[in-house]
Amino acid sequence: MKKIISFILTLIIVLTQGNIIFATANDKINLDIASKSAVLMDAASGKVLYEKNSHEKLPPASVTKVMTMLLICEAIESGKIKENDDVQISETAASMGGSQIFLEPGEIQKVDTLLKSIAVASANDACVAMAEYVGGSVEEFVCLMNNRAKKLGMKDTNFVNTNGLPVDNHYTSAYDIGLMSKELLRHEKISKYLTTWMDEVVVGKKQAKIGISNTNKLVKHYTGATGVKTGFTQEAKYCLSASALRNGTQLIAVTLCAETSPIRFKDATSLLNYGFANYESVKVCDANEKITTVKFPKGSKENVDLVSKDNLSILIKKGESKDFTKKVEIKEDISLPIKKNTELGVVKVYKGKELIGESKIVTTEDIDKASYGEILRRMIDSII
């Protein structure tokens, strides 16, 4: 089909006069972080506000499960699996050591129960059961983990298993953990479990109730905590990906290789406190908010609204003014018909020439080709 439309709309949004100023990893920040590696990241934009050896490749222990949970959530939202699906537990899954919910070979569990057990109890056996269910095998699921890591830009990562139990060549970095935690937090389905302090599950062929509790103490003790995951092995030492939301600003603090559990929580608390004290988010648009209208002369509907696929916020330093440019870019070649939620462009936010945020823009309905009669009617109407 011939080129339908090609344009760029540029809108200047001036909330007040001035410039946005961001902190960078090179800012001199007086934080006493004892963990070997750490990063503080804005969950909306991925902007790094603080880092210490953030790209050093280290074993992540059970923080690995952030990626496992992400793939499960994406499989649910894509329709590949359902939360109430039955999962039969294999011998392999039941044989996992470490943190577990003591699944038995042959028993049946729901996807939702296994996901909760991973998020709250860090259950290694549930990880393997879900890996086999989603990927067909643990090995295939690990391939999916590494492929997803590449798509997220996780350049310091190689996964070998689903749960972070000690194994050669299994590593990631504080920065990469921030990236996958950021992606996981986009899924509302998991948020209820990431913030669950205590619960119970029914397991085994005798249907025994066992209590489960969250190893992330910040869920109970830090205001606004939203997750995400702890980890510990003798090699990895004490690891943590912690997130919190306050006044519309969501931050992620990652600490790796802390000598003790209290140190990882202290470091994460210090990072989050620093972030909330110095930064705030400015909302550009909400998910499903109308961004622009596109004209389709040969479409079943001539004028079609495009909306933002995701929430879009910009992180700024507190006290700085809010002056930025929003630019809407529409794809040049668009062929009909088009399905609902098809990406047709992007809305980008700039500070000067620097891109500081963006969101895909999508259709709100199906668009078919117009009939010849409809096109003729439009031509007559335009003449009249």
Side-chain angles (χ1 to χ4, degrees):
M1 188 174 181
K2 294 182 179 180
K3 183 185 296 185
I4 298 176
I5 189 167
S6 175
F7 65 87
I8 298 178
L9 299 175
T10 304
L11 302 173
I12 306 299
I13 300 178
V14 180
L15 302 180
T16 59
Q17 298 300 315
N19 295 315
I20 295 179
I21 298 178
F22 290 89
T24 70
N26 297 319
D27 285 345
K28 293 182 179 180
I29 302 171
N30 186 23
L31 292 177
D32 182 19
I33 302 301
S35 298
K36 186 176 183 179
S37 175
V39 73
L40 176 65
M41 181 181 291
D42 173 36
S45 65
K47 183 73 177 180
V48 173
L49 308 179
Y50 173 89
E51 61 180 356
K52 175 185 176 182
N53 303 323
S54 65
H55 290 282
E56 184 170 351
K57 297 174 181 178
L58 294 167
S62 285
V63 182
T64 298
K65 293 162 187 167
V66 172
M67 179 59 78
T68 302
M69 290 186 286
L70 174 59
L71 292 185
I72 295 169
C73 289
E74 290 179 340
I76 292 171
E77 294 193 3
S78 70
K80 181 178 180 180
I81 64 174
K82 295 181 176 61
E83 291 175 271
N84 64 349
D85 282 355
D86 290 330
V87 179
Q88 186 168 26
I89 307 305
S90 68
E91 290 274 0
T92 302
S95 69
M96 288 295 104
S99 55
Q100 58 183 303
I101 54 171
F102 304 99
L103 296 171
E104 297 179 6
E107 74 168 286
I108 303 296
Q109 287 288 351
K110 297 292 185 183
V111 165
D112 186 62
T113 300
L114 295 172
L115 181 57
K116 175 171 68 173
S117 300
I118 297 169
V120 180
S122 194
N124 295 324
D125 45 2
C127 284
V128 173
M130 283 305 305
E132 292 172 336
Y133 188 67
V134 174
S137 68
V138 172
E139 293 76 16
E140 181 60 28
F141 189 83
V142 171
C143 287
L144 295 176
M145 293 171 71
N146 285 312
N147 289 337
R148 191 68 179 96
K150 290 179 181 178
K151 290 181 180 179
L152 289 174
M154 296 168 59
K155 298 179 181 179
D156 313 318
T157 297
N158 184 66
F159 294 118
V160 178
N161 60 35
T162 66
N163 45 37
L165 287 171
V167 63
D168 290 341
N169 209 35
H170 184 92
Y171 57 83
T172 186
S173 67
Y175 178 78
D176 282 4
I177 290 171
L179 291 181
M180 65 179 180
S181 298
K182 170 179 175 289
E183 193 68 16
L184 179 64
L185 289 167
R186 294 180 61 248
H187 295 271
E188 294 183 4
K189 291 182 183 298
I190 195 65
S191 62
K192 60 181 178 180
Y193 294 143
L194 295 179
T195 55
T196 295
W197 179 240
M198 297 186 73
D199 205 335
E200 63 180 22
V201 292
V202 179
V203 298
K205 295 176 181 177
K206 294 183 179 180
Q207 294 291 282
K209 286 185 179 181
I210 65 169
I212 57 176
S213 59
N214 204 316
T215 54
N216 181 5
K217 294 181 179 180
L218 297 189
V219 168
K220 185 176 182 181
H221 300 293
Y222 192 84
T223 302
T226 55
V228 179
K229 191 73 195 70
T230 61
F232 170 78
T233 64
Q234 291 295 332
E235 180 188 14
K237 298 185 180 179
Y238 293 90
C239 307
L240 173 65
S241 176
S243 62
L245 174 66
R246 292 182 183 177
N247 299 319
T249 300
Q250 188 163 36
L251 302 175
I252 299 167
V254 180
T255 60
L256 295 179
C257 201
E259 291 294 333
T260 68
S261 183
I263 286 175
R264 65 177 167 184
F265 291 120
K266 178 180 179 294
D267 284 350
T269 298
S270 296
L271 290 168
L272 292 171
N273 285 345
Y274 166 79
F276 288 125
N278 290 279
Y279 294 90
E280 63 179 327
S281 292
V282 177
K283 184 178 290 186
V284 177
C285 59
D286 291 316
N288 298 315
E289 180 178 326
K290 178 183 173 182
I291 301 299
T292 189
T293 300
V294 178
K295 194 174 185 67
F296 288 89
K298 295 183 180 180
S300 55
K301 185 174 181 180
E302 194 169 9
N303 297 302
V304 177
D305 291 339
L306 301 185
V307 301
S308 177
K309 183 177 180 180
D310 300 302
N311 295 322
L312 178 56
S313 297
I314 304 302
L315 193 73
I316 66 169
K317 208 162 188 178
K318 286 186 176 179
E320 300 295 339
S321 56
K322 309 171 182 75
D323 182 8
F324 54 90
T325 303
K326 184 171 73 173
K327 187 176 290 187
V328 178
E329 299 178 358
I330 305 301
K331 290 182 178 180
E332 294 187 352
D333 295 296
I334 304 175
S335 300
L336 295 175
I338 299 170
K339 293 293 185 181
K340 182 180 178 180
N341 293 324
T342 297
E343 178 192 344
L344 293 187
V346 63
V347 53
K348 298 181 177 180
V349 182
Y350 291 88
K351 170 200 153 190
K353 294 183 179 180
E354 180 188 4
L355 177 65
I356 56 175
E358 63 181 284
S359 176
K360 296 175 182 178
I361 50 179
V362 299
T363 56
T364 58
E365 57 190 307
D366 294 339
I367 310 167
D368 297 318
K369 293 181 179 179
S371 65
Y372 289 113
E374 178 61 22
I375 293 174
L376 179 61
R377 184 191 65 77
R378 290 175 187 172
M379 293 175 62
I380 295 173
D381 288 345
S382 65
I383 295 172
I384 294 176

